[in-house]
Amino acid sequence: MIAELLQLARAIQARDPARPSLAEVILCYPGLHAVFFHRIAHWLYERKLRFLARLISQLSRHLTGIEIHPGAKIGKNLFIDHGAGTVIGETAEIGDNVTIYHGVTLGGTGKDTGKRHPTVGNDVFIGAGAQILGPIRIGDGAKIGAGTVVVKDVAPGVTVTGVPGRAVRPRALAEAEPWAHLAERLAFLERRIAAWESFFGGDTSPMHVAKRHSYRLAEPEYYI
């Protein structure tokens, strides 16, 4: 467990923009302390020592401001940044390399039994104050914006924001939109040229057009 926590400390050091020292992460980061206590509490919980498990989780809550139920399953390198007010429910599952900011809830809706809390995939980012509720799944690589309320599954790689949470268009799609408009315009012009060539028998030179001046040069709608 010590080796795993050292790995987590290095992962936090690499992912935190503040670029803290390793000693700073180990001694001063409540997110790392919360995970450390949770590993102990979860070990006890799985061995049916639930009172001791809850006691340790409550001690961790008072020391770190982060409440993780001992029944929650947490993967490797969970980075809880700041962390105050974060709550992770009993049946929540979190994959590897997940980043969670303060005020996040992985909670239930009060309407479910058994599996009541979210399952979060690998490499997920969850912004401050986000509320992810119910036995839903957040796909690998998804991003949940700050303050978002999520009550439905989120597909892998999707960014979700708002109340209720809605998928945001991928940036690449937004950047491609002007090119799509130009392609549509080009296709329209090609159809128009083809219509003129068809009407004039393939010869659209000024002399040929002048010979057929009896045709009104305004193009009919059915040639567009």
Side-chain angles (χ1 to χ4, degrees), residues 130-158:
Q131 309 294 299
I132 304 175
L133 307 175
I136 60 175
R137 178 166 185 85
I138 309 300
D140 294 350
K143 291 181 174 60
I144 310 301
T148 299
V149 177
V150 185
V151 292
K152 295 181 180 179
D153 289 354
V154 176
V158 170

Side-chain angles (χ1 to χ4, degrees), residues 167-186:
V168 178
R169 266 184 319 181
R171 183 178 175 184
L173 197 61
E175 289 176 348
E177 197 172 72
W179 296 104
H181 174 73
L182 288 175
E184 184 181 345
R185 180 64 179 168
L186 180 61

Side-chain angles (χ1 to χ4, degrees), residues 107-145:
T109 62
K111 300 177 182 178
D112 303 293
T113 58
K115 172 66 170 166
R116 309 184 304 281
H117 304 103
T119 297
V120 177
N122 300 323
D123 305 303
V124 172
F125 175 92
I126 304 175
Q131 309 294 299
I132 304 175
L133 307 175
I136 60 175
R137 178 166 185 85
I138 309 300
D140 294 350
K143 291 181 174 60
I144 310 301

Side-chain angles (χ1 to χ4, degrees), residues 34-101:
V35 172
F36 173 78
F37 282 115
H38 175 72
R39 295 300 189 212
I40 299 170
H42 186 68
W43 187 88
L44 293 168
Y45 184 88
E46 288 192 321
R47 285 153 185 79
K48 309 300 181 184
L49 300 170
R50 298 195 173 186
F51 173 75
L52 283 176
R54 288 303 300 268
L55 192 62
I56 289 172
S57 71
Q58 288 302 302
L59 174 64
S60 173
R61 177 192 176 197
H62 286 293
L63 291 175
T64 66
I66 299 167
E67 182 173 344
I68 307 176
H69 192 285
K73 297 178 181 178
I74 294 177
K76 297 178 181 178
N77 299 333
L78 171 63
F79 178 21
I80 305 177
D81 198 6
H82 303 292
T86 294
V87 177
I88 299 174
E90 180 181 11
T91 61
E93 299 175 48
I94 300 175
D96 298 337
N97 306 311
V98 173
T99 299
I100 295 177
Y101 277 80

